[in-house]
Amino acid sequence: MSKHRSAETRLLDPALAGPALRQSVLKLDPRHLVRNPVLFVTAVVALLATGLALAAPFAGPGLGDPATVAQIALWLWVTVLFANFAEALAEGRGKARADALRATRTETPAKKLATLGAEGWDPVPGSALRPGDLILCETGDVIPADGEVVAGIASVDESAITGESAPVIRESGGDRSAVTGGTRVVSDVIKVKVTQKPGESFLDRMIGLVEGAKRQKTPNETALTVLLVGLSLIFVLVVATLEPFARYAGAAIPVAYSLALLVTLIPTTIGGLLSAIGIAGMDRLVKANVIAKSGRAVEAAGDVDVLLLDKTGTITYGNRMADALIPLSGASERDLAEAALLASVADETPEGKSIVSFVLRTFHMNPVPERVAATVPFSAHTRMSGCDLTDGTVIRKGAVDAVLDHLTRMAGEPNRDRLVEQCGRAVERVAKSGGTPLVVAAGDRLLGVVHLKDIVKPGIRERFGQLRAMGIRTVMITGDNPLTAAAIAAEAGVDDFLAEATPERKLERIRAEQVEGRLVAMCGDGSNDAPALAQADIGIAMNDGTPAAREAGNLVDLDSDPAKLIDVVMVGKQLLISRGALTTFSIANDVAKYFAIIPAMLLAAYPQLQALNVMGLSSPESAILSAVIFNALIIVALIPLALKGVAYRPASAASLLRRNLLIHGLGGLVAPFVGIKLIDMALTGLGLA
Amino acid sequence: MPMTDSLQLVLFLAMIAASAPLLGRYMARVYEGKGTLLTPILAPVERTLYRLAGAKVDKDQHWTTYALTLLAFNLAGFLLLFAILRLQHLLPFNPQDLAPMGTRLAFNTAVSFVTNTNWQAYSGEVALSDFSQMVGLTTQNFLSAGTGMAVAVAVIQGFSRRSARGIGNFTVDLVRGVLYILLPLSIVLALLLVVQGVPQTLSPYVHATTLEGGRQLIAQGPAASQIAIKQLGTNGGGFFGVNSAHPFENPTPLSNLLEMVSILLIPAAFCFLFGRMVGDTRQGRAIFAAMTLLFLAAFAVVYAAEHAGNPLIPALSVDQTAGNMEGKEVRFGVLNSSLWAVATTAASNGSVNAMHDSFTPMGGMALLLLIQLGEIVFGGVGAGFYGMLLFVILSVFIAGLMVGRTPEYLGKKIEAREVKLGLLALLSMPLGILILGALSTVPAAGLASVQDAGPHGLTELLYAYSSATGNNGSAFAGFGADTPYQNTMLGLAMLLGRYAVILPMLAVAGSLVGKKAHAETAGTFPTHGPLFVGLLVGVILIIGGLTFFPTLALGPLAEQFAMVGGHVY
């Protein structure tokens, strides 16, 4: 992820702000505004207010103070523009990224093959390719379309989409067969079967998503819009009926003042920032190099209850590594360390290398090459490695039975039982703790046991702890036997594990969790993961996985890092929290606006209502204007919050609620009292009201 | 607060807190069809009723069928009551030979009793025969209460059932509510009231000679039975015009206490019924706590305002040490008048033992606001609870997002459909109070009903429309309700306040009942602790406040500030 940090745009990048300003004017197009009901109402009201402002100087005092009405009209337009600006800015950030992606999507020539075995190829434009077509991609070629490698092996530079500069291997069969249009073959030749129609490729979808152009409202966004429309409707009723009630009380309310009251009451803050929040959430995901196939998936990520994580690569490093030495039959730990070191020098396997580095690190020993007469590298056949020293000592290390057989040969058959007994307990202990024992022998002596274990990634335990606090259970998926799995599960701090996992068992497990009412997220890469990915509520497919897996998941991780699942959940939660916080803030704001506007409007009917002017605003005109201006400015003030998202720390729902209610609920109640008062003082000072 | 007042308040609250959970548990068993103490006696009656009604009682109804059955049943009840009121001169038990009721007043009255409002634009003793009172009104007192309770149970089923289709059976819910809950409780209360001196007779009115030698006609009738159900069923329609201030309706301090407890008993029990039915008693307790909090806040305002009285009165060298006693019975005093007023406006009961019109502006405003919040602070039987669930849904939706999950309540996702329906229900109060109220300020026919000048007149008007839309039924007085215009418009307001909430809420239940329930984890929005109670109270006050603050400013607030400033209208 860090590799993208440099490209990360600053919040108010001047390069983005300029086009965004232009966009915010273009977005006044009614066809665009109507998609956001709250903004649409605001714009209509602004239009009405403009008409009133033009008429006010010529009409009587009934339309209100002309200067105030003009300023109200102006600020109402500014409110709409600010909201448009927020959306344009969010889109601009995505667009900057989309443009970079689009640059790679210029018309690519393709080498079309008639059949898999065909000798020659026809040059065709990439846009003419259809699913099922076969194409040839040679060194230096840009792959013209998404597809699956059907023959050959090649290294491919995928930096255009992942930002990762090291080429990756793509080969036919297996789980690394998917190639993406726009990436470049660095070496060798592959034959690719096209899987996507032009214009629907992975890259196209990514561009569409980050640009937010074809963005559809997510289910929760729709529901929230319904709430905002409903609240707006209530406020329309309130404002519309205030006029007759006031007339009953003997006061006339200028229409412009009513319009001002309406716009300050309807939830313009959240209404104006809602789409920016959504686009920015998607952008955060893209920045984490995860592509969501729909906004719905991001939202659902916030609801996840259970995470299924593969052990290898996610929870542990994947390779077994030396973790401890257990000396036996009177050997010293140093003797054992030295023998293990000598026996592993020629061992090129990750296990062997880990023994060398463990001994060097722990015992500060150096291998002494001059003592070694001959080395015996590890082979799958002998399952041992070692060396023969110049003094004739034969040193071996390897799998338990292999080394025991070797020792039996050296020490004679009658000693076998004694040897088995010597190492039996240590071997058993290592196995029980989830590790793999290797035995080390020198001559006919058993020196001890090397404890190889799956090393749990540092910090992962804390992460699971955080997830647990958030109410998310983690389930480790592993092919290991239950004993080993239990030991690693305990060490990593996962809540549960599925041992000896097969694709079928994974699918069963997901279904069982869902039946109990839980939302399940998982990641996978292989073709056999596809059913489970499709069944899971959130499926993250690894980008280097098979096309089947990529189709089945609803998110694709370009970095192919399964631990990303956790980040995705966080992004989803942050998106929802931002929405909730701004909604709460917006509604809480209305209390102060009432205390500004209501006394100002009704003072003519009942002078005693001055008592409700708790902020001590200087004049009715100034009070109304201050509320309108506050309402516009708060949108701009909250743009950074909408784009960055509300600060999120993993915690239980109860503590999150307490914290956010305090900040955004209570804060939303208090802030406008202060803000409106300050604006009132400024207006009075400037002589504007 | 004097010691005696505090003791009475504590006694009242303790009686509610002790009896509501027990009753709630009993009610849950009744609605779930489990055996109760009364089952051996009532089960045969229940079966007979189903046979007579020809109802397929073992069939669960889809929400639309449930709603249609309810509407048809209520329509039939309306037509029957309307006919009785129009034809009472031809019907038996009319010892005073009272004339038939006028068409518009009969429409208003029939709507009023069918919707559990019991707004009375007439005075019982001079307008209604014993037959109209007993067969007409008392029947609807039971049935309208039973209807509200059935709806609440159906809405609760929406949360408690998982991946189901039906939300229950209206006939069964109605019959069980009336037979097992309302009838037994009413019989007990009626007997207690008779013991306290409330008349229960079919004899004609009594002529009496007063000590000064004047002649007086004393009205009486089968009062105890009607009063029992009017309090238990949050109906509130009095047997006598002055309602519970009348010595025959409410003769003693004990009858006063019993009646106050009866008003809140079933609405409070619904919280605990809810907890039982959804399998988590904490959820019910949280809602009870929110209701109690709002109740006490309103009581504190009313009591303080009434106790302080009008600052202008002492200047006239009139003693006001007992508080504002205008329009109050001396035997009840400030505490029992305030407590009763708060209980009756909180619970959409509408019976009065003091004249709300004569309360101080702040006291009157607290009562008005209790109604305007949607009659959800305990509220009408059943109606208050499903109204409260509406606010719970809104609170969960607004603030639920802040825990980083899409909103859910009791495991059920709150999505666009529920929000849409909830807001539709929420709109009924502003529509009825603001739109119909504002309309009434325009034509002369509407304005004619307002008897006082200035902000107080507006308060009277607002109170009438709030009372009608909130299905409360209490009158602020000072408002000429029996005019053709008001009879029609207030009738419409009552219909709006009742069915424009019932139908969307049943639809919410229908939508929720089909959803599967999400498992609860540490990441689930907690809806049972003090934090949620505070949030719920906050959302209710903010939404209610934002909707009605401008009109309250023009009414009671303007009056209050004027009073403080030494000015009266």
Side-chain angles (χ1 to χ4, degrees):
Chain A
M1 247 199 295
S2 55
K3 53 192 166 280
H4 279 292
R5 281 282 146 72
S6 53
E8 196 173 306
T9 42
R10 271 179 299 131
L11 207 56
L12 276 171
D13 192 334
L16 289 178
L21 275 174
R22 198 168 53 247
Q23 275 295 317
S24 40
V25 177
L26 293 177
K27 280 173 185 281
L28 289 175
D29 183 344
R31 283 167 302 179
H32 175 83
L33 282 176
V34 79
R35 287 185 53 188
N36 185 334
V38 177
L39 271 194
F40 186 72
V41 170
T42 311
V44 169
V45 168
L47 199 63
L48 284 174
T50 311
L52 289 167
L54 294 175
F58 312 105
L63 286 186
D65 169 45
T68 309
V69 176
Q71 289 185 72
I72 289 176
L74 176 77
W75 281 102
L76 293 184
W77 283 118
V78 170
T79 311
V80 181
L81 288 174
F82 280 169
N84 282 347
F85 180 70
E87 190 183 77
L89 201 60
E91 282 173 355
R93 282 149 59 92
K95 206 166 154 36
R97 206 184 144 75
D99 287 341
L101 289 170
R102 195 177 282 119
T104 67
R105 208 199 42 171
T106 46
E107 185 65 61
T108 318
K111 300 172 177 171
K112 190 175 170 192
L113 297 166
T115 62
L116 194 57
E119 283 296 317
W121 46 268
D122 301 320
V124 293
S127 56
L129 293 174
R130 292 290 174 271
D133 287 352
L134 289 170
I135 48 173
L136 182 72
C137 301
E138 295 172 296
T139 307
D141 288 351
V142 171
I143 299 174
D146 288 5
E148 183 176 9
V149 181
V150 285
I153 176 166
S155 54
V156 177
D157 172 9
E158 294 196 337
S159 58
I161 54 167
T162 63
E164 173 64 69
S165 52
V168 292
I169 299 294
R170 291 287 175 259
E171 61 185 327
S172 63
D175 290 342
R176 294 184 298 173
S177 60
V179 288
T180 307
T183 57
R184 182 182 297 273
V185 178
V186 185
S187 73
D188 302 294
V189 176
I190 45 174
K191 291 176 183 173
V192 173
K193 189 158 123 192
V194 177
T195 53
Q196 284 294 342
K197 272 192 257 176
E200 282 178 21
S201 77
F202 199 59
L203 206 60
D204 290 310
R205 275 192 280 176
M206 253 172 88
I207 292 170
L209 278 168
V210 292
E211 272 190 332
K214 279 188 294 184
R215 214 174 66 87
Q216 284 187 324
K217 284 202 180 106
T218 58
N220 177 258
E221 221 177 336
T222 310
L224 195 52
T225 307
V226 170
L227 176 83
L228 300 183
V229 170
L231 289 177
S232 303
L233 205 57
I234 290 179
F235 290 127
V236 168
L237 293 183
V238 170
V239 173
T241 55
L242 187 55
E243 209 274 335
F245 282 128
R247 191 176 321 155
Y248 170 89
I253 299 177
V255 181
Y257 295 2
S258 289
L259 295 178
L261 176 63
L262 177 62
V263 169
T264 51
L265 290 182
I266 61 174
T268 44
T269 314
I270 177 68
L273 295 173
L274 188 56
S275 62
I277 295 172
I279 297 169
M282 198 65 104
D283 192 49
R284 274 198 297 281
L285 208 57
V286 171
K287 228 178 279 162
N289 264 359
V290 175
I291 297 298
K293 292 196 190 158
S294 70
R296 184 188 289 259
V298 188
E299 215 163 69
D303 287 350
V304 163
D305 300 299
V306 181
L307 281 184
L308 299 190
L309 294 170
D310 275 328
K311 182 198 77 175
T312 309
T314 311
I315 297 170
T316 65
Y317 281 110
N319 297 318
R320 285 150 192 265
M321 297 202 248
D323 185 59
L325 297 178
I326 309 165
L328 293 171
S329 56
S332 76
E333 201 173 9
R334 263 196 103 69
D335 291 346
L336 174 60
E338 192 176 12
L341 177 65
L342 288 167
S344 302
V345 175
D347 185 355
E348 285 300 314
T349 64
E351 288 84 356
K353 286 180 184 162
S354 83
I355 293 175
V356 173
S357 76
F358 177 76
V359 171
L360 295 184
R361 201 170 61 235
T362 319
F363 296 93
H364 309 289
M365 276 179 192
N366 285 313
V368 197
E370 50 273 25
R371 284 180 61 197
V372 178
T375 57
V376 181
F378 176 84
S379 86
H381 181 67
T382 60
R383 293 186 295 145
M384 285 193 298
S385 68
C387 63
D388 300 335
L389 298 184
T390 43
D391 64 0
T393 317
V394 176
I395 294 181
R396 291 289 182 275
K397 90 127 220 253
V400 179
D401 349 334
V403 178
L404 281 179
D405 288 347
H406 158 79
L407 274 175
T408 310
R409 280 196 300 280
M410 302 284 289
E413 190 60 36
N415 289 314
R416 180 161 183 116
D417 287 349
R418 179 181 55 84
L419 289 165
V420 170
E421 198 195 321
Q422 268 178 357
C423 69
R425 195 173 300 162
V427 165
E428 197 184 342
R429 204 171 66 225
V430 171
K432 258 204 184 127
S433 71
T436 308
L438 292 183
V439 179
V440 182
D444 60 357
R445 257 184 89 201
L446 183 81
L447 289 182
V449 174
V450 178
H451 184 165
L452 287 183
K453 69 186 267 194
D454 248 351
I455 301 292
V456 171
K457 288 186 176 175
I460 198 98
R461 199 184 167 85
E462 288 68 38
R463 265 198 124 175
F464 292 147
Q466 290 176 344
L467 287 170
R468 199 169 304 117
M470 288 154 64
I472 297 173
R473 277 190 324 127
T474 40
V475 178
M476 182 183 84
I477 309 280
T478 171
D480 292 342
N481 63 58
L483 208 65
T484 310
I488 295 169
E491 193 186 339
V494 294
D495 299 285
D496 200 356
F497 62 88
L498 180 66
E500 289 165 358
T502 59
E504 294 74 36
R505 294 195 58 195
K506 265 196 220 182
L507 194 60
E508 265 168 40
R509 176 69 189 234
I510 293 173
R511 290 204 174 123
E513 296 281 2
Q514 286 171 334
V515 164
E516 283 171 43
R518 300 197 186 90
L519 226 73
V520 184
M522 72 160 285
C523 49
D525 47 10
S527 292
N528 51 19
D529 281 334
L533 279 172
Q535 178 73 35
D537 301 280
I538 297 292
I540 300 198
M542 299 296 111
N543 190 45
D544 59 7
T546 58
R550 266 168 39 170
E551 275 309 308
N554 35 23
L555 297 159
V556 178
D557 178 12
L558 300 175
D559 296 338
S560 303
D561 169 12
K564 206 64 91 45
L565 208 47
I566 300 171
D567 297 323
V568 172
V569 170
M570 301 264 193
V571 169
K573 284 198 181 290
Q574 202 185 21
L575 174 74
L576 295 172
I577 292 176
S578 303
R579 262 185 218 153
L582 288 181
T583 307
T584 308
F585 187 86
S586 197
I587 294 173
N589 267 203
D590 281 0
V591 175
K593 292 171 188 166
Y594 259 144
F595 277 99
I597 297 187
I598 291 294
M601 281 171 84
L602 304 180
L603 219 49
Y606 298 121
Q608 67 268 28
L609 288 179
Q610 182 64 32
L612 287 177
N613 182 8
V614 290
M615 285 171 270
L617 305 179
S618 58
S619 73
E621 285 76 21
S622 165
I624 293 171
L625 261 180
S626 304
V628 173
I629 294 174
F630 176 83
N631 192 53
L633 291 183
I634 197 72
I635 295 181
V636 177
L638 291 175
I639 287 178
L641 190 72
L643 295 190
K644 277 193 308 194
V646 169
Y648 174 67
R649 273 192 325 236
S652 73
S655 64
L656 276 176
L657 181 65
R658 196 174 313 119
R659 191 184 127 91
N660 287 324
L661 263 184
L662 198 70
I663 297 175
H664 304 284
L666 213 57
L669 219 51
V670 176
F673 278 102
V674 179
I676 291 174
K677 177 69 186 170
L678 288 177
I679 295 170
D680 172 72
M681 286 159 69
L683 283 179
T684 316
L686 294 170
L688 288 171
Chain B
M1 196 186 279
M3 194 57 152
T4 47
D5 282 8
S6 322
L7 276 176
Q8 287 186 69
L9 177 67
V10 169
L11 179 65
F12 168 73
L13 292 174
M15 282 174 77
I16 301 275
S19 52
L22 293 175
L23 181 62
R25 186 161 62 188
Y26 168 78
M27 283 163 57
R29 290 190 71 86
V30 167
Y31 283 112
E32 283 170 342
K34 293 178 183 158
T36 62
L37 204 63
L38 296 176
T39 308
I41 315 160
L42 295 176
V45 185
E46 189 187 347
R47 280 195 296 273
T48 314
L49 281 170
Y50 294 150
R51 246 200 321 281
L52 287 175
K56 293 193 201 86
V57 292
D58 51 344
K59 244 183 115 156
D60 251 1
Q61 291 172 322
H62 187 253
W63 80 266
T64 47
T65 320
Y66 197 102
L68 284 176
T69 319
L70 181 151
L71 288 179
F73 180 77
N74 277 196
L75 180 65
F78 164 79
L79 293 174
L80 180 70
L81 179 54
F82 184 76
I84 291 175
L85 295 174
R86 293 286 293 142
L87 304 173
Q88 65 175 352
H89 58 297
L90 305 174
L91 294 165
F93 301 113
N94 187 2
Q96 300 302 119
D97 281 325
L98 294 168
M101 212 177 227
T103 317
R104 295 212 185 195
L105 181 57
F107 161 77
N108 181 285
T109 307
V111 166
S112 163
F113 278 78
V114 170
T115 57
N116 197 247
T117 311
N118 299 26
W119 169 266
Q120 294 167 295
Y122 60 89
S123 211
E125 56 270 49
V126 295
L128 292 177
S129 71
D130 286 348
F131 185 86
S132 298
Q133 293 264 23
M134 284 193 305
V135 181
L137 303 189
T138 308
T139 307
Q140 281 308 322
N141 275 350
F142 278 99
L143 297 180
S144 65
T147 301
M149 290 160 69
V151 173
V153 171
V155 174
I156 294 171
Q157 297 281 22
F159 286 102
S160 64
R161 294 185 180 184
R162 276 132 209 235
S163 312
R165 233 183 90 73
I167 55 171
N169 184 301
F170 176 69
T171 316
V172 174
D173 289 346
L174 178 76
V175 166
R176 284 185 181 154
V178 173
L179 202 58
Y180 288 85
I181 299 163
L182 293 172
L183 263 177
L185 283 174
S186 297
I187 292 171
V188 173
L189 183 62
L191 289 175
L192 286 172
L193 290 177
V194 169
V195 170
Q196 291 300 305
V198 178
Q200 178 75 12
T201 171
L202 292 175
S203 312
Y205 297 172
V206 177
H207 290 274
T209 309
T210 63
L211 285 176
E212 291 93 18
R215 290 181 61 77
Q216 191 182 357
L217 181 68
I218 297 176
Q220 59 175 1
S225 59
Q226 196 185 324
I227 292 163
I229 183 61
K230 91 160 185 186
Q231 306 300 25
L232 285 166
T234 57
N235 293 287
F239 192 87
F240 304 103
V242 294
N243 212 304
S244 299
H246 195 292
F248 277 177
E249 282 217 6
N250 189 6
T252 65
L254 184 58
S255 74
N256 194 62
L257 180 65
L258 284 174
E259 289 186 32
M260 282 198 301
V261 172
S262 311
I263 289 172
L264 294 187
L265 183 59
I266 295 179
F270 255 98
C271 301
F272 300 97
L273 168 149
F274 175 69
R276 294 252 153 213
M277 283 183 75
V278 300
D280 184 354
T281 50
R282 297 173 310 171
Q283 306 290 348
R285 281 203 296 269
I287 294 182
F288 180 75
M291 288 178 169
T292 308
L293 216 59
L294 284 165
F295 182 90
L296 287 177
F299 172 76
V301 171
V302 174
Y303 182 82
E306 294 312 301
H307 208 268
N310 184 337
L312 302 179
I313 299 246
L316 306 171
S317 47
V318 173
D319 176 50
Q320 205 184 208
T321 43
N324 168 32
M325 285 303 292
E326 183 196 315
K328 293 188 179 63
E329 287 274 289
V330 176
R331 61 201 177 104
F332 297 135
V334 165
L335 175 91
N336 273 309
S337 301
S338 305
L339 194 54
W340 182 290
V342 171
T344 187
T345 46
S348 110
N349 179 283
S351 65
V352 289
N353 75 356
M355 292 305 119
H356 295 178
D357 191 26
S358 301
F359 274 45
T360 57
M362 290 310 284
M365 184 174 85
L367 303 180
L368 183 56
L369 192 60
L370 273 178
I371 301 176
Q372 290 179 332
L373 291 179
E375 286 298 4
I376 48 157
V377 181
F378 296 107
V381 283
F385 195 78
Y386 61 72
M388 186 51 121
L389 282 182
L390 161 66
F391 276 95
V392 169
I393 290 176
L394 286 178
S395 306
V396 163
F397 188 81
I398 293 171
L401 283 170
M402 285 196 294
V403 305
R405 288 170 74 111
T406 56
E408 63 192 23
Y409 183 56
L410 303 176
K412 300 280 181 117
K413 287 272 171 223
I414 308 296
E415 291 163 303
R417 187 174 162 78
E418 289 76 38
V419 175
K420 198 183 299 174
L421 292 164
L423 282 163
L424 212 58
L426 191 67
L427 271 174
S428 71
M429 289 308 283
L431 274 178
I433 298 169
L434 297 178
I435 295 289
L436 294 184
L439 273 181
S440 192
T441 65
V442 181
L447 282 171
S449 296
V450 181
Q451 291 163 4
D452 285 280
H456 194 74
L458 184 67
T459 310
E460 289 167 358
L461 178 89
L462 283 174
Y463 195 97
Y465 278 91
S466 302
S467 176
T469 315
N471 294 145
N472 179 291
S474 78
F476 206 55
F479 183 79
D482 186 13
T483 68
Y485 178 87
Q486 299 297 3
N487 275 334
T488 310
M489 296 307 274
L490 289 170
L492 289 178
M494 290 186 259
L495 289 172
L496 186 76
R498 182 73 163 178
Y499 299 105
V501 180
I502 284 184
L503 294 180
M505 286 312 285
L506 282 178
V508 167
S511 166
L512 287 175
V513 82
K515 297 188 181 190
K516 59 179 186 185
H518 211 83
E520 193 186 328
T521 69
T524 309
F525 184 82
T527 54
H528 48 74
L531 196 62
F532 179 73
V533 173
L535 171 72
L536 182 59
V537 168
V539 167
I540 291 168
L541 288 179
I542 286 188
I543 294 205
L546 290 179
T547 314
F548 298 108
F549 182 77
T551 45
L552 293 178
L554 282 170
L557 285 174
E559 197 185 348
Q560 168 73 19
F561 295 131
M563 186 178 83
V564 173
H567 181 66
V568 285
Y569 290 92

